[in-house]
Amino acid sequence: VLVKANPSFIIDDTGSHFLKDGEPYKIISGSCHYFRTMEKYYEDRLNMMKMCGLNSVQFYVPWNVHNPSPGVYNISSLLSFLDAIQEQNMTAIMRPGPYICGEWEFGGIPSWLFSLYPDIIIRSSDSRYQEEVKKWWAYLIPQITKYMYSQGGPVILLQVENEYGSYGNDRDHIQFLKDLLKKYLSSSSSSPSSFLVANGDDDEGKDDKDDDDEEVVIIYSTDGPYDSMLLFSYDVGIFQTIDFGPAQIGQMSQV
């Protein structure tokens, strides 16, 4: 796989287009859940996606698969999947949670958390929950940073949480998750990374951004197409996206 000398993936100044190495890039993606697929079939499944005209693969990272008990970690299947995506010369949209939904047991959150902390409040600023997220991401993120597009890998977008606006309203928790991603990505990248501030008025994000540095990791959120679902990821330096079905297309113009 050939890697460009200075790969970059950003949003243009108008906020209308993605630019991949300075050229407009239209994401045509589909989902592939590697944790529901045998590793020996990764290449086959990705090749079929590519033959269908897709150029990008989106996938969740289930915490409970890779951290089945306290202090026990294994992300070999994830790394194999990322390698397979790069071999297919496709881009990737990675969704590391920590909550993923995905019709997966407990949205990927380990059940052993409740053995340790019976009254823990997940997906919140509960300090016990956030400490466990820190441990998990301290293991995960440094190992996948080399797969960011700016580092020569396939990952162009990294999602925070998943449809949080349909669940909670803890804005501080979303800010915590974004800051934690930035911390681990910055500390483990091969060169200083800048992070896109989507809304343009995050002072902390402005300080982090170097206009001369094109290495960018776009951190994004996904919510339903309603203002009430978007409030808690707005103005925290996250690129907001929405998901919708055919019956909701008309609603998009009102967001």
Side-chain angles (χ1 to χ4, degrees), residues 68-82:
S69 59
V72 177
Y73 302 97
N74 187 334
I75 61 168
S76 60
S77 60
L78 168 61
L79 300 182
S80 294
F81 188 62
L82 285 163

Side-chain angles (χ1 to χ4, degrees), residues 8-250:
S8 67
F9 190 86
I10 64 174
I11 296 173
D12 73 359
D13 292 338
T14 69
S16 301
H17 302 283
F18 292 114
L19 298 179
K20 182 171 174 277
D21 301 322
E23 299 295 327
Y25 185 76
K26 180 179 289 187
I27 298 172
I28 307 173
S29 72
S31 293
C32 183
H33 294 181
Y34 67 92
F35 48 93
R36 286 182 164 115
T37 307
M38 297 178 67
E39 285 190 45
K40 66 180 180 179
Y41 293 129
Y42 287 174
E43 180 181 356
D44 175 70
R45 299 299 187 264
L46 292 169
N47 187 53
M48 286 193 286
M49 295 177 75
K50 193 171 182 180
M51 291 175 66
C52 287
L54 305 182
N55 61 15
S56 191
V57 184
Q58 62 171 307
F59 59 93
Y60 297 111
V61 179
W63 181 2
N64 56 7
V65 169
H66 301 296
N67 183 195
S69 59
V72 177
Y73 302 97
N74 187 334
I75 61 168
S76 60
S77 60
L78 168 61
L79 300 182
S80 294
F81 188 62
L82 285 163
D83 286 334
I85 293 172
Q86 187 148 22
E87 286 297 321
Q88 289 291 333
N89 197 29
M90 300 177 78
T91 54
I93 300 171
M94 188 171 178
R95 311 170 80 174
Y99 175 83
I100 66 168
C101 188
E103 287 68 52
W104 190 252
E105 179 183 293
F106 210 34
I109 293 177
S111 59
W112 52 259
L113 287 181
F114 290 93
S115 297
L116 295 179
Y117 320 106
D119 62 342
I120 192 172
I121 303 175
I122 62 169
R123 304 179 74 186
S124 78
S125 293
D126 186 315
S127 61
R128 299 164 298 179
Y129 178 67
Q130 291 188 339
E131 282 301 314
E132 294 298 335
V133 172
K134 283 182 183 178
K135 293 175 188 176
W136 163 226
W137 277 5
Y139 177 86
L140 172 68
I141 303 303
Q143 294 193 68
I144 57 92
T145 297
K146 67 179 181 180
Y147 292 98
M148 300 298 106
Y149 191 78
S150 66
Q151 305 296 303
V155 179
I156 55 175
L157 297 167
L158 202 62
Q159 180 177 292
V160 169
E161 246 277 348
N162 187 69
E163 297 182 330
Y164 188 74
S166 300
Y167 169 81
N169 58 6
D170 190 340
R171 184 186 181 87
D172 290 341
H173 180 56
I174 300 302
Q175 182 78 55
F176 163 82
L177 293 175
K178 184 211 71 172
D179 291 344
L180 196 62
L181 276 179
K182 290 179 63 174
K183 173 185 175 181
Y184 291 136
L185 287 165
S186 293
S187 64
S188 53
S189 63
S190 60
S191 58
S193 294
S194 62
F195 294 84
L196 180 70
V197 178
N199 297 313
D201 50 4
D202 184 324
D203 291 336
E204 179 182 346
K206 286 181 180 178
D207 289 340
D208 287 346
K209 183 175 175 61
D210 180 354
D211 292 335
D212 296 324
D213 187 352
E214 292 187 346
E215 293 182 328
V216 176
V217 174
I218 300 177
I219 298 175
Y220 80 102
S221 63
T222 299
D223 284 293
Y226 300 95
D227 289 340
S228 61
M229 296 180 180
L230 296 166
L231 290 175
F232 307 105
S233 57
Y234 177 73
D235 196 25
V236 292
I238 295 174
F239 176 59
Q240 293 180 295
T241 69
I242 59 176
D243 49 22
F244 57 92
Q248 297 170 310
I249 291 178

